[in-house]
Amino acid sequence: MKILDVGCGGGLLTEPGGSLFITTINKTQLSYALGIVFAEQIAGIVPKGTHTWEKFVSPEKLESILESNGLSVQSVAGMLYNPFSGYWHWSENTSLNYAAHAVKSGVQDHPVPDEFVFKGETEELRGQDSTNAGAQEELKK
């Protein structure tokens, strides 16, 4: 297995030199307004109580946590969800959702699969090369 999807806000480093990909929500006023007030309370996109703002984490805090545990952050990219199309898009803006890629410290130039490389604001996140159909469906959510 090259990629293991362990769900919302969590991750495992499968072996020394393996990659860790984390997707989570930034801890900003905007993420509170859109992630909790709008998505949960107004639009009902997700059930009320799904998010706890106090548990949101900034990219800087996440990098600090990862580095203190022997990991080196290779890249951070923003992610935007379009509720009308049902697709996620890469963005330079990390104020809402973002993805981070880290490897064990000391491992440099670790190759990243093409579907996880930040390529610009309009590129969709896709799992087309994934052998896990469930992972592809999760990317559409």
Side-chain angles (χ1 to χ4, degrees):
M1 180 178 289
K2 293 181 180 178
I3 298 173
L4 175 64
D5 180 6
V6 293
C8 182
L12 296 172
L13 193 59
T14 58
E15 59 187 55
S19 286
L20 171 66
F21 293 92
I22 295 176
T23 58
T24 193
I25 304 172
N26 199 344
K27 190 171 188 174
T28 63
Q29 291 178 343
L30 183 61
S31 68
Y32 179 83
L34 292 178
I36 295 177
V37 175
F38 179 76
E40 290 185 21
Q41 299 170 6
I42 296 172
I45 296 171
V46 296
K48 289 182 180 177
T50 297
H51 300 111
T52 304
W53 190 78
E54 293 79 13
K55 294 182 180 179
F56 291 3
V57 62
S58 70
E60 296 80 15
K61 178 68 173 173
L62 179 62
E63 185 169 355
S64 174
I65 292 168
L66 293 172
E67 287 179 353
S68 69
N69 284 283
L71 297 163
S72 173
V73 174
Q74 302 297 297
S75 62
V76 174
M79 299 166 46
L80 293 175
Y81 179 68
N82 181 333
F84 301 108
S85 70
Y87 285 98
W88 287 91
H89 301 273
W90 290 121
S91 170
E92 292 181 14
N93 185 336
T94 61
S95 64
L96 292 173
N97 299 291
Y98 65 95
H101 169 227
V103 296
K104 280 258 191 193
S105 293
V107 177
Q108 299 299 326
D109 300 321
H110 196 271
V112 179
D114 285 342
E115 62 266 28
F116 292 103
V117 175
F118 172 66
K119 294 184 179 177
E121 189 167 335
T122 59
E123 180 102 4
E124 292 178 2
L125 298 176
R126 297 185 181 162
Q128 60 213 20
D129 295 329
S130 173
T131 58
N132 183 345
Q136 291 178 19
E137 290 303 312
E138 285 299 313
L139 287 173
K140 294 179 184 177
K141 292 182 182 178

